[in-house]
Amino acid sequence: MYTLRTNMRKKQGGFSLLELAVVVAIIGILVYSFSGTSNSDRTKATVLLQMMDTVGSGSARLKLDGGCYPTRPDALWLSASANPSSCGTDMTGQWRGPYMSPAQANATGGITVPNISQNTVITLASAAGGIGTRYFVRASAIPNSVISEMMVVCNGAATTLAGRCNGTLGVAPATVGTVDVQYDETR
């Protein structure tokens, strides 16, 4: 029995070199995967797209209540900003909001987004196009690298003029441009 205990103690020595190498490799892969996917431009593009989608869907909900689209993003949480609307009427009487959580806004009702760039502002816009009027959320003062990533996130390709999202890259010496995300089109 004494020899059995001695043999058991010898087998409980520690980890083999192979076991340690496997553990170190797994930890390395985990660290690489977390650091490799934290591309700040891709993250900024994803956050910006989510925010613009929130503004677009809030605008569509306000249109259901008021009959027209707002012209200022702050109309989505501030009823007084629902006048005038895209069709020129005062929607403050039909306002049933808020349609999104309040955000930091500038004097003209544009949402400021300093975590994208210091001067980034989200506004609402419309333009004739297609078979009617296109309504979109516009973000301006976006770094070109974020615009490129946003086109991939939104449209699945780096092209700036295809799909629901359209980007306009800044031309040297400007390194910032604009992104439009369409949320509706009237016929």
Side-chain angles (χ1 to χ4, degrees), residues 46-179:
T46 303
V47 167
L48 183 60
L49 180 58
Q50 289 172 345
M51 186 169 218
M52 293 173 79
D53 281 342
T54 299
V55 171
S57 64
S59 296
R61 287 192 313 275
L62 178 54
K63 181 185 184 258
L64 289 175
D65 288 345
C68 299
Y69 288 110
T71 57
R72 299 169 48 132
D74 64 345
L76 301 175
W77 67 86
L78 186 64
S79 65
S81 295
N83 181 28
S85 65
S86 62
C87 52
T89 62
D90 181 355
M91 295 190 304
T92 56
Q94 294 86 13
W95 195 88
R96 304 284 182 259
Y99 301 94
M100 71 175 272
S101 298
Q104 183 178 349
N106 62 19
T108 60
I111 299 172
T112 58
V113 193
N115 60 334
I116 303 300
S117 80
Q118 188 173 2
N119 299 319
T120 298
V121 177
I122 294 175
T123 57
L124 294 171
S126 62
I131 46 180
T133 302
R134 296 180 328 123
Y135 294 91
F136 49 93
V137 180
R138 173 171 287 159
S140 57
I142 308 299
N144 286 345
S145 57
V146 175
I147 293 172
S148 297
E149 289 294 333
M150 191 163 174
M151 295 305 104
V152 173
V153 169
C154 184
N155 297 333
T159 181
T160 57
L161 294 174
R164 182 173 70 98
C165 297
N166 293 309
T168 304
L169 297 171
V171 181
T175 58
V176 295
T178 61
V179 172

Side-chain angles (χ1 to χ4, degrees), residues 9-26:
R9 284 186 189 149
K10 287 181 183 177
K11 289 184 180 183
Q12 295 177 355
F15 297 106
S16 71
L17 185 58
L18 180 60
E19 290 170 323
L20 287 174
V22 168
V23 169
V24 168
I26 290 171

